[in-house]
Amino acid sequence: MDGEWPKFAQLYVFDTAHEVANRLLPFVGSSRSSSLDEDIVVDLLKMLDETNELAKLFCKARDKT
């Protein structure tokens, strides 16, 4: 929906320039936000993109758009 933040599979293809920020957005302002390390999120995304077959499929779709 227009005006809503991306979630679930949309995170792989919507606004990829801000992918990490979009993934951290649900936690902003919560007590959990202070314990989240952006570098760890980046590393986890990289690991998933390299090893998870479903993540690879979404990356291919993202790269074709």
Side-chain angles (χ1 to χ4, degrees), residues 12 46-58:
Y12 282 94
K46 184 178 177 183
M47 180 198 62
L48 283 172
D49 289 348
E50 292 172 354
T51 61
N52 184 283
E53 293 303 318
L54 188 56
K56 288 180 185 181
L57 182 65
F58 280 112

Side-chain angles (χ1 to χ4, degrees), residues 2-17:
D2 286 338
E4 290 187 18
W5 295 103
K7 49 188 137 184
F8 307 117
Q10 295 169 341
L11 292 167
Y12 282 94
V13 293
F14 179 83
D15 194 15
T16 56

Side-chain angles (χ1 to χ4, degrees), residues 27 29-35:
F27 302 101
S30 74
S31 61
R32 295 179 288 179
S33 66
S34 62
S35 64

Side-chain angles (χ1 to χ4, degrees), residues 35-52:
S35 64
L36 296 175
D37 184 334
E38 187 173 329
D39 292 331
I40 292 174
V41 173
V42 169
D43 289 343
L44 287 170
L45 288 172
K46 184 178 177 183
M47 180 198 62
L48 283 172
D49 289 348
E50 292 172 354
T51 61
N52 184 283

